[in-house]
Amino acid sequence: MVELQINTTQNVNINFIAASVGERILAYIIDLIIKIAYAVVTYQIMFNLFNIDDLIDGMDDWSRIAIIVSFYLPVVFYSLIFETFLDGQTIGKRIMKIKVVKIDGYQAALADYLVRWFFRIIDLNMMSGIVALIAIVTSKKSQRLGDMTAGTSVITLKNNVNISHTILEELEDSYKPTYPNVIKLSDNDARIIKDTFVRAKAARDYETLIKLRTKIVQVVEIKDFNGSDLEFIDTILKDYNYYTQGSFDTKTF
């Protein structure tokens, strides 16, 4: 079990457990099965249902190849498409409860997923994935070459955590939110804010609390706010939980 310590832009250390080799292999197999199923179904539709051979019979070889390849592009770009739109997960990763994250605390972006996808040529397609396996096993952060280049890693989401370790806040049924603009924040933002808030409050680091409040006011675009720094940040976290329970964004704080 490899533990990853991510240092965020707020100098907060967050610990994650890297996905095991077995979890990553199983996720890859699930994704492979899905891609094979798509290819088989597409073939049946193209050649048996629509008789595409008759449609492209008069075309030159390159035109035929281009049309056929276009139907299989989703297989080629499978991981890039799903990791981009499922916040670092393919279907296989989601089933295995693992995901791609940046090791610097930021949310992975399209450019990061693109780098990982490109390096699949070396990691997974050359030598049947042996390159990726060796890289993951020998890397301190369980990274394949694509992860090392993109500055990402794959973590497990199966950690047992309680409410004090998450962005969630216990709210009374009668709770009334104060700052609706908190929806500008993301799950990642709120987690960083809470971790920083908890540590600063415990250490009585009032300077950090002031900086954190100032940053929140700037990002959330709040013009008027009441109470002390402690009260304000606590309200922000509760309001975020009130408005976004079960629905999280992917922007970066």
Side-chain angles (χ1 to χ4, degrees):
M1 181 177 68
V2 178
E3 185 173 289
L4 302 178
Q5 189 176 76
I6 294 178
N7 185 265
T8 72
T9 53
Q10 302 296 320
N11 292 320
V12 176
N13 291 325
I14 302 176
N15 294 323
F16 293 102
I17 302 300
S20 68
V21 174
E23 288 174 321
R24 295 180 70 160
I25 290 175
L26 286 175
Y28 174 81
I29 291 174
I30 293 171
D31 289 329
L32 181 61
I33 291 173
I34 292 172
K35 288 187 282 188
I36 292 174
Y38 170 85
V40 171
V41 171
T42 300
Y43 178 87
Q44 294 297 325
I45 292 174
M46 287 172 57
F47 291 94
N48 294 333
L49 186 60
F50 292 112
N51 294 319
I52 196 171
D53 277 339
D54 296 334
L55 297 176
I56 64 176
D57 188 47
M59 298 181 179
D60 60 81
D61 291 340
W62 285 108
S63 296
R64 288 198 204 96
I65 293 173
I67 291 175
I68 293 173
V69 168
S70 66
F71 282 97
Y72 291 98
L73 284 179
V75 172
V76 176
F77 293 102
Y78 174 89
S79 63
L80 177 61
I81 293 170
F82 278 101
E83 286 182 357
T84 300
F85 290 101
L86 293 184
D87 191 20
Q89 294 180 298
T90 59
I91 296 175
K93 287 185 176 71
R94 177 157 289 192
I95 291 173
M96 294 305 300
K97 296 183 179 180
I98 61 178
K99 71 175 292 185
V100 179
V101 297
K102 290 284 285 183
I103 58 174
D104 61 3
Y106 278 96
Q107 179 69 41
L110 174 60
D112 304 310
Y113 300 133
L114 183 61
V115 170
R116 296 185 80 257
W117 172 81
F118 181 78
F119 270 83
R120 290 174 68 88
I121 298 172
I122 301 173
D123 283 328
L124 301 174
N125 296 337
M126 293 178 62
M127 299 179 66
S128 301
I130 294 177
V131 173
L133 182 61
I134 294 174
I136 293 171
V137 172
T138 57
S139 169
K140 292 181 179 179
K141 296 180 179 178
S142 296
Q143 297 170 294
R144 63 178 177 85
L145 298 182
D147 288 315
M148 295 176 191
T149 308
T152 60
S153 188
V154 180
I155 64 168
T156 179
L157 302 177
K158 299 174 185 177
N159 297 348
N160 294 321
V161 296
N162 57 46
I163 195 167
S164 65
H165 296 138
T166 70
I167 62 172
L168 300 179
E169 296 285 335
E170 294 183 8
L171 302 178
E172 297 179 357
D173 294 336
S174 59
Y175 182 78
K176 301 295 183 184
T178 306
Y179 306 109
N181 271 17
V182 292
I183 59 174
K184 292 178 178 289
L185 298 173
S186 71
D187 180 21
N188 193 46
D189 300 340
R191 182 176 291 109
I192 292 173
I193 291 170
K194 179 166 185 178
D195 288 338
T196 305
F197 176 59
V198 170
R199 290 171 182 253
K201 184 170 66 171
R204 296 185 179 181
D205 185 353
Y206 300 113
E207 183 178 352
T208 296
L209 289 172
I210 292 172
K211 291 179 180 178
L212 182 58
R213 181 207 65 201
T214 302
K215 183 66 173 179
I216 293 171
V217 169
Q218 177 187 347
V219 173
V220 181
E221 298 180 352
I222 296 175
K223 296 181 179 179
D224 300 311
F225 56 91
N226 301 313
S228 66
D229 297 330
L230 286 170
E231 292 170 337
F232 171 73
I233 299 171
D234 184 59
T235 300
I236 286 291
L237 290 169
K238 288 180 177 177
D239 284 1
Y240 180 81
N241 187 64
Y242 177 88
Y243 284 114
T244 63
Q245 287 183 16
S247 176
F248 300 117
D249 203 334
T250 57
K251 300 185 289 299
T252 302
F253 187 72

